[in-house]
Each structure stands twice: as C-alpha cells, then as structure tokens.
C-alpha cells in the first residue's frame, strides 16, 4: 500500500535544495499489508529539463518510518540519483508484521540555476518483488 502517494515541493527558487527527510513535505510512505517479506525498486521519470537525467539534481533514498521495518544494510539509505529503469533492490525485505511494516522513500531535488519556470512533475514507480 502507498499511504502517501504524492510529494509536493511547492514553489522553489533556482539553485535551492529541498528534501523530504525532514518531513516537510512528507515523503512517500509504503506499507506491507501482505503476509510475506518483499523488496522494492524505485524508478522515476525526468524531473528537470535543464540538466541530464539521471543526475544529482533529482535523488531518492529509503528511510525507516517504523523501526525494523526493512533490512537497512541491504537498502539504499543514502541518496541515489533517480533513474527511469532499475533492477536494483532499494528497500530490502520489508516486513509484513503490523508493528513494523512501514517504510519511507525520501526525495531530494536541487533546482538547476538554468531551469525554466513552471510546474515540474515526475512519475515515481515502486516495483515490488517477493
């Protein structure tokens, strides 16, 4: 289940950096509502037009929202550049027990100094494998 399915950064200035790891705005929240451990891979579409993709201007990472919710040593706990394809596991062995079945995926964006004005969007895909 995706408990929080959108991240809205609002109006931001050129050259500024914003992330969800301070919960402002809230990160994506994912919950294992099943009865098996599973892995999650994260991919997304291009966010900025002024820079290449993938790049450090648009990144993500996994974060525990509930202690013990997934295997942190096998998960992407540091910022990674968003890509549009991946066979890598980014959140490993998400637990299904109700007390620790919830993980966060943070986004980090740094607005390029030469980015055009206007609304920016990206579609994030969470691929689950058992």
């Amino acid at each position: 289940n995706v408990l929080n399915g959108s991240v809205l950064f609002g109006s931001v200035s050129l050259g500024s950096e914003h992330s969800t790891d301070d919960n402002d705005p809230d990160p994506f929240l994912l919950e294992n509502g099943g009865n098996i451990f599973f892995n999650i891979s994260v991919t997304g579409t291009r966010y900025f037009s002024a820079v290449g993709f993938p790049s450090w201007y648009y990144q993500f990472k996994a974060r525990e929202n509930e202690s013990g919710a997934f295997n942190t040593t096998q998960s992407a706990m540091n910022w990674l550049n968003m890509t549009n394809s991946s066979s890598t596991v980014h959140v490993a062995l998400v637990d299904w027990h109700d007390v620790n079945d919830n993980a966060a995926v943070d986004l980090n964006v740094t607005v390029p100094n030469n980015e055009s004005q206007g609304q920016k969007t990206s579609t994030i895909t969470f691929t689950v494998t058992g």
Side-chain angles (χ1 to χ4, degrees):
N1 297 324
V2 179
L3 302 178
N4 182 34
S6 63
V7 173
L8 303 173
F9 286 107
S11 181
V12 295
S13 302
L14 294 176
S16 62
E17 179 182 352
H18 299 277
S19 71
T20 61
D21 62 355
D22 62 358
N23 294 321
D24 185 24
D26 290 330
F28 291 106
L29 291 178
L30 311 174
E31 178 184 61
N32 184 348
N35 59 3
I36 64 167
F37 289 89
F38 62 66
N39 299 316
I40 301 171
S41 297
V42 181
T43 58
T45 59
R46 183 183 197 105
Y47 193 67
F48 296 115
S49 60
V51 293
F53 178 75
S55 75
W56 61 271
Y57 289 96
Y58 183 32
Q59 301 177 313
F60 73 95
K61 69 174 179 162
R63 175 168 47 106
E64 282 188 304
N65 191 51
E66 295 176 339
S67 181
F70 60 91
N71 183 317
T72 58
T73 59
Q74 294 180 0
S75 298
M77 303 296 289
N78 296 309
W79 294 115
L80 293 175
N81 295 343
M82 183 68 75
T83 64
N84 61 3
S85 66
S86 179
S87 59
T88 303
V89 170
H90 297 113
V91 188
L93 300 172
V94 179
D95 199 333
W96 57 273
H97 295 90
D98 194 39
V99 295
N100 55 352
D101 62 351
N102 192 303
V105 173
D106 287 307
L107 292 182
N108 183 61
V109 296
T110 302
V111 183
N113 287 322
N114 57 341
E115 183 68 18
S116 61
Q117 292 184 352
Q119 184 177 2
K120 309 299 175 192
T121 62
S122 175
T123 300
I124 308 296
T125 302
F126 301 105
T127 302
V128 174
T129 55

